[in-house]
Amino acid sequence: MNHSINHTHDPSLRSWVESANHKGTDFPIQNLPFGVFRHRDTTISPRIGVAIGDRILDLFACQQIGLLQELPESLQAACIEPNLNPLMALGSWATSALRDRLSELLRLNGSPPPLEAKILIPMAEAELLLPASIGDYTDFYASIFHATNVGKLFRPENPLLPNYKYIPVGYHGRSSSIVASDTLIKRPQGQKKRPQESAPTFGLSKLLDYEVEVGFFVSSGNDLGQSIAIDQAEEHIFGLCLVNDWSARDIQAWEYQPLGPFLAKSFATTISPWIVTLEALAPFRCPVFARPQEDPTPLSYLASALNAQLGGIELTVELRLSSAQMRSQEIEPLRVSQASFEEMYWTIAQMLTHHTSNGCNLRPGDLLASGTVSGPKSGSQGSLLEITRRGSQPIELPTGEVRSFLEDGDEVILYGYCEQKGYVRIGFGECRGKLI
Ligand code: CA
């Protein structure tokens, strides 16, 4: 179901929300991503919304005035909750039925419905919140280019560890410090030790970095002890968002062995507010990354014809950076990198299947992230660690300032979008965070 193209993807569809028809908008009627918002000027509780052009369709209001009454009651009930977890728990049939109805509701058929003012709010007047209550968060390491770049910096003689081509490597992250886009990020303190020092010191991290990642939310979960087969994996994925895995490289270098990332990562993780459903991404599916011939084929539980043929996603991710000085001189943020999610070594289905292969249960609203999206080309590295070779080759900003790692006042903005001939471009909006 998630892979099939249907009438909701029709490139000729137009919406009565005029801004949704503008060329280059992230949120045309073919996208319909879900999020949670609150009106800035009221005390009304958070509500589920759908991004359409520069507006948000308020699902609570839609349900209250009967615009969703053809839908099953369980689905209507999920639409008036303050987060997406109940909708996610219903599974992909529900998301698909809702998308079908919303596409019909927002479609241009002559004139807009008379209730427009009641069900739409300008995005500029809304505070965009975390879309779900995230119980657990797991971060993978699915780009072989990122793994090799980072490995070379820390272990020049042995960059890629022997398990990499067999296992989608990951670690359990911290969900409590996942924050919505636009949340200010406080520079963390921690233990650091440079190789030439005999003992560690405690203080502010000086090597603060970002990681450009793609996240995916679990919809219906699995029971403890039950694994999810690779061809069913995407039935358990609600949709995708952008993730900035803020990373303190000096803290990380000292603490990461032998158990992996800990306080270098858990001080903050920023995610984008809108979740683009797998159904919306159907026109942008592509074959899995082509492994070099000498690489091992994945073990059978991580392989299938469907995954090989359509496991990849043609999604471009970009990172832009602006310093306080750039903003004061009204200079646009500088694009620092651009990479394609189709170049990831492991697919989202492989990551989810591997996660449950030991019987570990995933729950609705759990967040899995891909790990840094880096490609083989120059300009496609998704972290400053890689771009500046651990700070030894700083980048220059348009003001003449240089950056090895992030400085206070720097703002980091992630973008993501999908383009395919014959279909309307869809985008992910922004994932924004400023360092203080
Ligand atoms: Ca990461």
Side-chain angles (χ1 to χ4, degrees):
M1 178 191 325
N2 280 326
H3 291 108
S4 40
I5 310 272
N6 56 45
H7 68 95
T8 64
H9 304 101
D10 181 346
S12 68
L13 288 182
R14 293 288 176 273
S15 174
W16 49 265
V17 180
E18 195 42 51
S19 58
N21 307 323
H22 293 173
K23 201 171 166 8
T25 177
D26 277 347
F27 308 120
I29 191 170
Q30 291 82 1
N31 192 350
L32 305 178
F34 293 93
V36 170
F37 72 98
R38 183 162 51 202
H39 204 290
R40 284 191 195 278
D41 303 327
T42 68
T43 52
I44 298 172
S45 310
R47 291 178 173 185
I48 297 174
V50 170
I52 179 82
D54 61 6
R55 296 284 189 275
I56 299 173
L57 181 72
D58 178 343
L59 291 199
F60 183 95
C62 289
Q63 196 277 338
Q64 294 294 298
I65 57 178
L67 294 174
L68 307 178
Q69 64 187 7
E70 298 156 24
L71 298 174
E73 276 183 21
S74 60
L75 177 47
Q76 287 193 55
C79 291
I80 57 173
E81 294 282 344
N83 63 39
L84 286 165
N85 298 63
L87 177 62
M88 291 167 161
L90 290 174
S92 53
W93 71 266
T95 320
S96 193
L98 184 54
R99 175 180 166 87
D100 184 81
R101 173 62 186 136
L102 297 178
S103 175
E104 188 187 8
L105 189 63
L106 289 165
R107 203 168 293 181
L108 180 63
N109 278 328
S111 55
L115 296 162
E116 180 186 344
K118 286 197 171 144
I119 58 174
L120 280 187
I121 86 154
M123 210 178 284
E125 289 174 19
E127 182 188 356
L128 301 174
L129 308 173
L130 285 181
S133 168
I134 301 169
D136 274 302
Y137 163 51
T138 303
D139 196 15
F140 285 88
Y141 199 50
S143 162
I144 196 168
F145 303 107
H146 172 69
T148 306
N149 291 340
V150 173
K152 272 183 196 158
L153 294 170
F154 287 93
R155 298 177 303 273
E157 71 298 340
N158 185 22
L160 206 61
L161 295 172
N163 59 5
Y164 190 84
K165 293 176 178 175
Y166 292 94
I167 291 179
V169 170
Y171 69 96
H172 287 117
R174 183 83 196 160
S175 59
S176 66
S177 53
I178 297 176
V179 296
S181 182
D182 262 335
T183 304
L184 296 173
I185 305 299
K186 195 175 159 193
R187 182 180 292 270
Q189 301 190 91
Q191 266 200 39
K192 305 162 288 178
K193 189 185 98 53
R194 281 185 286 236
Q196 65 273 25
E197 293 171 336
S198 60
T201 54
F202 184 84
L204 286 172
S205 168
K206 294 206 167 67
L207 309 185
L208 203 62
D209 199 359
Y210 56 77
E211 291 187 340
V212 178
E213 306 198 11
V214 171
F216 49 109
F217 278 93
V218 174
S219 53
S220 54
N222 58 306
D223 292 333
L224 184 63
Q226 298 292 315
S227 306
I228 296 173
I230 182 104
D231 279 348
Q232 271 74 59
E234 292 199 6
E235 292 298 319
H236 297 265
I237 297 174
F238 181 80
L240 274 57
C241 67
L242 304 172
V243 176
N244 180 353
D245 177 20
W246 300 93
S247 299
R249 300 302 183 193
D250 38 7
I251 300 173
Q252 185 179 1
W254 173 232
E255 76 171 5
Y256 88 104
Q257 286 177 321
L259 286 186
F262 183 34
L263 302 179
K265 302 278 190 174
S266 62
F267 59 95
T269 305
T270 304
I271 66 171
S272 59
W274 298 110
I275 310 179
V276 177
T277 62
L278 278 192
E279 190 175 355
L281 291 165
F284 312 102
R285 302 310 298 263
C286 62
V288 69
F289 175 75
R291 293 183 169 211
Q293 244 173 3
E294 62 273 21
D295 282 12
T297 52
L299 299 183
S300 61
Y301 77 102
L302 291 175
S304 79
L306 179 65
N307 183 66
Q309 198 192 338
L310 290 170
I313 304 172
E314 290 178 359
L315 158 61
T316 302
V317 289
E318 286 186 13
L319 182 125
R320 297 184 203 188
L321 177 66
S322 88
S323 66
Q325 200 179 325
M326 285 168 69
R327 291 192 299 280
S328 73
Q329 295 177 22
E330 294 180 6
I331 299 172
E332 290 291 303
L334 173 72
R335 193 175 83 190
V336 178
S337 69
Q338 185 186 61
S340 178
F341 195 57
E342 60 186 293
E343 291 178 327
M344 300 301 270
Y345 199 79
W346 298 102
T347 64
I348 56 172
Q350 286 171 321
M351 288 184 253
L352 185 130
T353 294
H354 182 65
H355 204 312
T356 66
S357 62
N358 66 344
C360 171
N361 52 327
L362 299 177
R363 294 173 296 188
D366 283 358
L367 178 65
L368 280 57
S370 64
T372 309
V373 184
S374 292
K377 296 191 297 276
S378 157
S380 66
Q381 286 77 29
S383 68
L384 284 176
L385 177 72
E386 294 164 84
I387 295 167
T388 69
R389 312 271 159 97
R390 213 175 178 176
S392 66
Q393 294 173 23
I395 56 168
E396 190 174 335
L397 305 181
T399 47
E401 299 169 279
V402 292
R403 287 290 182 274
S404 298
F405 289 96
L406 297 171
E407 302 285 337
D408 291 351
D410 284 355
E411 186 166 47
V412 171
I413 315 149
L414 278 63
Y415 297 90
Y417 55 88
C418 299
E419 289 172 318
Q420 176 64 257
K421 218 174 158 197
Y423 291 94
V424 174
R425 173 197 183 277
I426 63 171
F428 280 67
E430 295 179 347
C431 175
R432 192 182 274 268
K434 188 160 69 184
L435 195 62
I436 53 168

